[in-house]
Amino acid sequence: MGASSSFQTIMPLPIPSPLSKALLVLLGTISGALPLLAESPAPDNNAMTSGPAPAGKPWEPAWGFWPDYPADWQRTHWGFVEKTKAGGWDVLFLGDSITKNWMQQGRPVWDAHYEPLHALDIGIGGDTTRQTLWRIEHGALNGAQPKVIVLMIGVNNVNARAATAEEIAKGISEILAQIEARLPQSKILLLSVLPVGNPSLNPEVQKVNALLPKLEGGKVRFLDLTSLFATPDGKLILENYKPDQLHLLEPGYVAIDKALYPVLLEMLKNS
């Protein structure tokens, strides 16, 4: 696939030996200022849930934050970590709210086609490439041995207007590299960013999608869904969309399914 890491992976601190713990306790007793180190850090960090992550590039990991529900993004992530660790999943769907909503508007299609394939949906609403990278670094794939990962990400990067198409594509490339490093036996089905109703944003969506085929190769396969959601002159097929012209109604998931399901079956068959 050729994607390469462009950031330093955050490594956990080593667990102190019994001797070093004893020395720390002794020093803490003498100074009255040094606390005893915990066996392992708690998964939910107040520094993360108390506010948004610092600004950064699409390939730089960042936790998510929902202002109205400050701790809930973290709870959602760690809940998915526990589900993934349980194992038994042949397919993982990873992405933002369009992926998450397979469990809502797309549920009838999911139950008919993807539930029988032992698929797990771990999409989180509002995520960009940065949150996806943070989640991968913090256990999202731990314990998983999926045959295929279905990835759709990037529309929230476009919506944020904080990065170029090339930078967003680099963030997606970094996600692919991190997945491949952790799950070298898994195949990845990369889906295009879907067109949106905002005419000022769609040219950027098109630029991102034009770059994604370059990421195909090895265990990565790219599937362009654009023609299912927009006419050749760029007009949205509105029956697929909610009134916000961003999220999908059930017909939108039916449209994705028609393209996705046969490709996924082929990838699973050859795994």
Side-chain angles (χ1 to χ4, degrees):
M1 191 273 304
S4 60
S5 176
S6 54
F7 61 87
Q8 293 184 344
T9 302
I10 301 171
M11 299 298 292
L13 292 172
I15 297 174
S17 67
L19 178 58
S20 63
K21 283 184 182 178
L23 290 172
L24 286 169
V25 172
L26 178 60
L27 288 171
T29 302
I30 294 172
S31 67
L34 188 61
L36 177 64
L37 295 181
E39 288 286 338
S40 59
D44 197 351
N45 188 322
N46 287 333
M48 296 176 182
T49 59
S50 63
K57 294 295 186 179
W59 57 88
E60 296 173 338
W63 63 86
F65 180 72
W66 299 329
D68 292 338
Y69 307 96
D72 281 3
W73 187 93
Q74 290 278 332
R75 292 192 187 109
T76 301
H77 164 70
W78 293 112
F80 281 140
V81 168
E82 292 304 312
K83 281 190 175 182
T84 306
K85 279 199 308 185
W89 310 110
D90 289 335
V91 184
L92 284 181
F93 280 65
L94 180 61
D96 50 42
S97 59
I98 296 175
T99 295
K100 176 185 77 71
N101 286 347
W102 278 106
M103 298 293 97
Q104 297 177 36
Q105 287 76 21
R107 193 59 185 256
V109 181
W110 180 274
D111 289 347
H113 278 170
Y114 302 100
E115 186 76 22
L117 297 179
H118 305 290
L120 176 65
D121 185 340
I122 58 172
I124 294 183
D127 278 8
T128 69
T129 54
R130 299 188 69 204
Q131 282 74 51
T132 303
L133 286 164
W134 190 95
R135 294 180 62 199
I136 291 171
E137 282 194 348
H138 291 79
L141 305 179
N142 287 5
Q145 293 294 327
K147 296 177 181 178
V148 181
I149 293 177
V150 180
L151 174 66
M152 178 187 278
I153 198 70
V155 72
N156 289 318
N157 293 84
V158 174
N159 286 340
R161 302 175 186 264
T164 66
E166 290 76 14
E167 290 174 329
I168 295 168
K170 183 176 178 180
I172 294 172
S173 175
E174 185 62 31
I175 293 170
L176 298 176
Q178 293 299 320
I179 293 173
E180 289 182 312
R182 289 164 171 79
L183 300 174
Q185 301 306 314
S186 298
K187 298 177 181 178
I188 306 171
L189 181 53
L190 173 63
L191 306 182
S192 59
V193 179
L194 297 185
V196 297
N198 188 328
S200 68
L201 294 177
N202 258 340
E204 205 66 17
V205 171
Q206 293 168 6
K207 289 178 184 178
V208 173
N209 285 336
L211 295 168
L212 296 186
K214 299 177 182 179
L215 305 181
E216 190 171 29
K219 292 184 177 295
V220 179
R221 182 166 176 174
F222 174 66
L223 182 60
D224 192 348
L225 303 171
T226 303
S227 64
L228 303 175
F229 290 88
T231 60
D233 60 357
K235 294 181 180 178
L236 290 193
I237 301 174
L238 293 177
E239 66 185 39
N240 290 336
Y241 287 88
K242 290 183 175 183
D244 65 8
Q245 297 184 11
L246 172 64
H247 297 96
L248 304 181
L249 296 168
E250 184 177 342
Y253 289 97
V254 171
I256 293 177
D257 176 64
K258 287 180 179 177
L260 169 61
Y261 186 61
V263 173
L264 184 56
L265 287 180
E266 178 188 340
M267 295 176 74
L268 288 170
K269 183 178 179 181
N270 297 324
S271 296

